[in-house]
Amino acid sequence: MINLKCLIVGLGSIGCRHVNNLKKLGVINLSAFRNTHKIIPFKIPKNVRIFRNFSLALKDNPDAVIICNPTSKHIEFALKALRQKCNLYIEKPLSNNLRNLNKFVKLSHSVKKKIIVGCQFRYHPGLNLINRWIKKKKIGKIISVVCDVGEYLPLWHPWENYRKSYAARKEFGGGVILTLIHELDYLYWLFGKISSVYAVGSKKTKLKINVEDSALISMITKSKIPIHLRMDYWRNKPKRSLNIVGEKGEINWDYYRKTVTLLNNGKILYKQKLPEKWNKNQMYINIMRDFINSIGKRTNPKVSLKESMNVLKIALAAKSSLEKNKLVHIK
């Protein structure tokens, strides 16, 4: 049992996942804020207290607030929670713009609470293995990187009308670039800061949404590594893969096949395959455990606020490039 009081903001699919995972981790003092009377999409523990007023929920003095409402509302709610000196878990992306971020960062330095952004792919075993290989220069100097991600939006959350989801609406901070920001996050984590971005795409499919559903993003890192990222809301089956070419070899990662492979001259030097029983919820468990363990300790969680801000700037630069059809340099 963990002596921690947690408030979850939003009980959509990700909010329900976090509630149930917190219970699995031993947190029993759980509450939630939601301002809708829609049916909760998944079962949650019966003892979760529901608040309809966020100010009242904060007066209950939670130790940690887990923010899972639409992207456009993240910073508004995070600021309120931080003023009450709560530790924060903020679902990705951090926001859909840079408004009030400086105020948020300044306040975070003042209250000195733990803040983590929900980029759980940094806890994927395959990507962590790749990170170790890169640090050990297993393939030598990196020459190029190609990353690919595709989801079919209407089947992403089958229990809801995709047209009304946050991922489909500009006013909620949707669009494929922000919604599938995991790729930008782990590319930043693996290869370092991005100096420039050029993106093409926009709304290319028949989906009834008012945001971009496709993007081809070319990036250059500070260390001059060229990266190409393809993203879309259209593919069924879904796709998530990474290919890294180096002077001495090649690395391939396939999320859905659960494999990561190290090659030299076309020969497989090492191949890892995750157990069939492994599923993505383990990443959510691990990131939440990291967050909980950091509270009250001197350790910092793996996904820092500063890094999440940098990744958000990359995403917003890509959206700007897509809209303006020009190269965008990132400060």
Side-chain angles (χ1 to χ4, degrees):
M1 186 184 299
I2 296 175
N3 185 23
L4 199 69
K5 186 184 289 188
C6 291
L7 168 66
I8 294 85
V9 177
L11 283 177
S13 61
I14 190 62
C16 291
R17 182 187 293 276
H18 289 318
V19 169
N20 288 309
N21 284 344
L22 285 163
K23 182 71 180 296
K24 286 179 184 178
L25 288 168
V27 180
I28 59 172
N29 197 335
L30 296 165
S31 61
F33 163 73
R34 67 192 315 248
N35 59 1
T36 175
H37 291 275
K38 292 179 181 178
I39 296 173
I40 298 173
F42 296 98
K43 288 184 179 180
I44 61 172
K46 293 181 179 179
N47 63 335
V48 176
R49 187 180 177 191
I50 305 295
F51 288 91
R52 300 292 179 184
N53 182 292
F54 189 55
S55 295
L56 287 178
L58 290 177
K59 286 182 180 178
D60 194 44
N61 296 316
D63 300 297
V65 176
I66 292 86
I67 296 177
C68 309
N69 53 0
T71 302
S72 58
K73 297 288 186 180
H74 283 181
I75 296 302
E76 174 190 344
F77 279 76
L79 277 167
K80 291 177 181 178
L82 206 53
R83 290 186 187 113
Q84 294 297 316
K85 295 182 171 55
C86 301
N87 299 285
L88 288 174
Y89 182 115
I90 307 173
E91 259 310 312
K92 61 79 191 170
L94 182 60
S95 183
N96 64 322
N97 56 56
L98 299 178
R99 288 194 297 272
N100 291 320
L101 275 184
N102 286 337
K103 182 191 298 186
F104 180 64
V105 171
K106 186 177 180 180
L107 182 59
S108 72
H109 292 324
S110 174
V111 301
K112 297 180 180 178
K113 291 295 179 178
K114 299 299 181 182
I115 301 173
I116 190 171
V117 177
C119 293
Q120 73 275 1
F121 273 85
R122 294 200 190 195
Y123 299 77
H124 189 284
L127 291 176
N128 275 275
L129 179 58
I130 290 171
N131 189 34
R132 293 195 294 273
W133 283 345
I134 291 171
K135 288 179 178 177
K136 292 178 180 179
K137 300 187 183 300
K138 289 285 188 179
I139 59 171
K141 179 183 176 181
I142 294 172
I143 296 171
S144 65
V145 178
V146 174
C147 187
D148 195 10
V149 60
E151 297 267 2
Y152 187 54
L153 187 60
L155 295 182
W156 196 22
H157 292 168
W159 55 88
E160 70 177 349
N161 183 340
Y162 81 87
R163 301 170 186 84
K164 298 179 181 179
S165 70
Y166 81 92
R169 310 305 302 170
K170 184 176 182 179
E171 60 271 27
F172 294 153
V176 73
I177 293 173
L178 284 172
T179 303
L180 300 184
I181 200 171
H182 288 300
E183 269 58 34
L184 290 173
D185 179 75
Y186 70 66
L187 290 170
Y188 173 92
W189 173 52
L190 292 173
F191 305 109
K193 292 182 179 180
I194 305 296
S195 59
S196 64
V197 173
Y198 181 73
V200 294
S202 71
K203 188 181 179 307
K204 296 290 185 180
T205 75
K206 298 176 182 178
L207 293 173
K208 296 179 180 178
I209 62 179
N210 66 356
V211 285
E212 83 281 349
D213 56 26
S214 307
L216 296 174
I217 307 172
S218 293
M219 297 170 273
I220 299 291
T221 70
K222 294 284 186 182
S223 55
K224 307 302 180 184
I225 299 171
I227 300 174
H228 187 73
L229 169 61
R230 178 170 66 178
M231 319 175 82
D232 66 69
Y233 277 161
W234 191 247
R235 272 177 284 179
N236 188 21
K237 347 197 250 190
K239 176 78 173 179
R240 189 162 244 142
S241 65
L242 177 66
N243 171 260
I244 308 165
V245 173
E247 284 183 322
K248 298 193 294 185
E250 195 172 340
I251 296 170
N252 290 308
W253 174 66
D254 192 307
Y255 171 73
Y256 289 101
R257 291 182 180 177
K258 301 182 180 180
T259 59
V260 59
T261 311
L262 175 65
L263 301 102
N264 179 261
N265 294 324
K267 295 181 180 180
I268 296 175
L269 296 182
Y270 184 86
K271 183 174 182 178
Q272 180 197 74
K273 184 172 174 62
L274 293 175
E276 287 300 320
K277 64 180 182 180
W278 184 91
N279 67 74
K280 67 180 183 180
N281 194 54
Q282 191 58 53
M283 295 188 293
Y284 291 97
I285 288 277
N286 289 344
I287 190 172
M288 190 60 73
R289 182 186 287 116
D290 186 18
F291 173 57
I292 290 170
N293 288 343
S294 73
I295 296 173
K297 298 181 180 180
R298 292 183 179 179
T299 58
N300 291 316
K302 199 170 188 175
V303 189
S304 71
L305 175 59
K306 182 178 179 179
E307 287 187 316
S308 295
M309 285 184 63
N310 288 338
V311 173
L312 176 60
K313 289 176 181 178
I314 299 167
L316 295 176
K319 287 178 77 76
S320 175
S321 174
L322 189 148
E323 292 168 4
K324 299 176 181 178
N325 191 29
K326 68 176 186 179
L327 182 72
V328 175
H329 294 279
I330 300 174
K331 297 180 180 179

